Amino acid sequence: MVNGQQLTYPQTIGQWFNTAVFQKPAFGKFGNAGPGTITGPGLVNFDMGLYKDFAFTEKRRLQFRSEFFNVFNHTNFGNPTTTVGSGNYGLITSALDARIIELSLRLHF
């Protein structure tokens, strides 16, 4: 970490953290930034599942299942690139899956 610089988080996709705080260490050295210094954007995820059984006989039934992943469709961004000197340094370039819905039928006999 560079002396005199403070680690701030503008938290935009174009600059998730203050990139001026870090520089490449000297050849053969590790640097002084500890693990977990940079935190990512976090995760907000709600999953839901519903099912309904339809009985035909005492032993035979049909089950309708529906599963919803990220049911409220909240945008969950990936972690920023932390490789000093890369073209994407400090940027968020990915996002996790949007809402996924799965429907299925299951026959019990």
Side-chain angles (χ1 to χ4, degrees):
M1 295 180 76
V2 177
N3 290 331
Q5 294 286 336
Q6 185 178 8
L7 182 58
T8 58
Y9 290 90
Q11 294 187 347
T12 63
I13 294 174
Q15 183 183 14
W16 186 255
F17 60 92
N18 182 8
T19 57
V21 172
F22 302 99
Q23 66 181 10
K24 284 188 177 182
F27 181 74
K29 302 292 181 181
F30 285 109
N32 60 357
T37 303
I38 299 171
T39 58
L43 179 69
V44 177
N45 190 30
F46 293 95
D47 297 336
M48 183 183 298
L50 302 169
Y51 70 92
K52 172 71 177 166
D53 286 328
F54 300 96
F56 295 120
T57 64
E58 205 170 303
K59 289 187 176 184
R60 292 188 177 108
R61 60 189 165 101
L62 183 68
Q63 185 179 69
F64 174 73
R65 294 179 173 215
S66 58
E67 297 173 342
F68 305 91
F69 303 97
N70 192 8
V71 70
F72 298 119
N73 208 23
H74 184 272
T75 304
N76 292 302
F77 294 110
N79 287 323
T81 304
T82 57
T83 305
V84 177
S86 75
N88 296 330
Y89 178 52
L91 304 177
I92 294 179
T93 58
S94 64
L96 301 178
D97 288 333
R99 179 187 305 132
I100 297 174
I101 300 173
E102 294 180 1
L103 304 173
S104 64
L105 291 174
R106 184 174 181 181
L107 180 63
H108 297 267
F109 56 94

